[in-house]
Amino acid sequence: QVQLVESGGGLVQPGGSLRLSCAVPESIFTSNDMDWYREYPGKEREFVALITRGGRTAYTDSVKGRFTISRDKAKRTVDLQMNNLKPEDTAVYYCHARRVNVFKHEYWGQGTQVTVSS
């Protein structure tokens, strides 16, 4: 079955950087827009960044200028470079493949913990 495999989470100090990666099956990588969400304890999962099949990107306001989403076609990954991390970035981050239409599936990664703390 379809599986999105994430890596790169961990513990960093404020102002530090992390790079999250999501390994994507070829059929999904080719067909689906991909994005990253994050989830704070007790809160709804929220949108962070989007990259379309064509490479267009969008970000939630709180991460603009600090986070960069990208596709690596050679490695077939969707990456999230996170710079100047803040304590409020602490969350579980999820890779997501959007539905291409109402008849198709969406897919989620397992989640990876990012903790920003001194």
Side-chain angles (χ1 to χ4, degrees):
Q1 59 183 14
V2 170
Q3 181 175 241
L4 306 179
V5 181
E6 299 168 321
S7 61
L11 173 64
V12 296
Q13 294 184 338
S17 297
L18 282 175
R19 187 175 183 88
L20 307 182
S21 292
C22 176
V24 185
E26 184 173 359
S27 62
I28 303 302
F29 193 87
T30 301
S31 301
N32 296 63
D33 295 342
M34 303 292 302
D35 47 21
W36 287 90
Y37 280 68
R38 64 188 178 189
E39 184 176 300
Y40 301 107
K43 299 196 70 176
E44 195 81 8
R45 195 171 297 179
E46 69 176 31
F47 169 80
V48 175
L50 163 71
I51 185 163
T52 69
R53 292 195 302 156
R56 296 187 298 275
T57 60
Y59 302 89
T60 193
D61 285 345
S62 63
V63 309
K64 287 179 180 176
R66 300 189 297 122
F67 290 12
T68 303
I69 189 170
S70 61
R71 289 178 181 261
D72 188 323
K73 289 181 167 53
K75 295 190 291 186
R76 207 174 67 223
T77 61
V78 176
D79 303 323
L80 186 68
Q81 178 67 44
M82 304 185 294
N83 297 326
N84 192 25
L85 283 160
K86 304 176 179 180
E88 51 263 44
D89 295 318
T90 296
V92 178
Y93 285 72
Y94 295 89
C95 183
H96 177 238
R98 296 189 171 194
R99 299 180 190 269
V100 297
N101 61 55
V102 70
F103 302 107
K104 301 295 185 181
H105 298 292
E106 64 179 335
Y107 303 97
W108 292 95
Q110 78 283 359
T112 185
Q113 177 71 47
V114 172
T115 302
V116 185
S117 176
S118 298

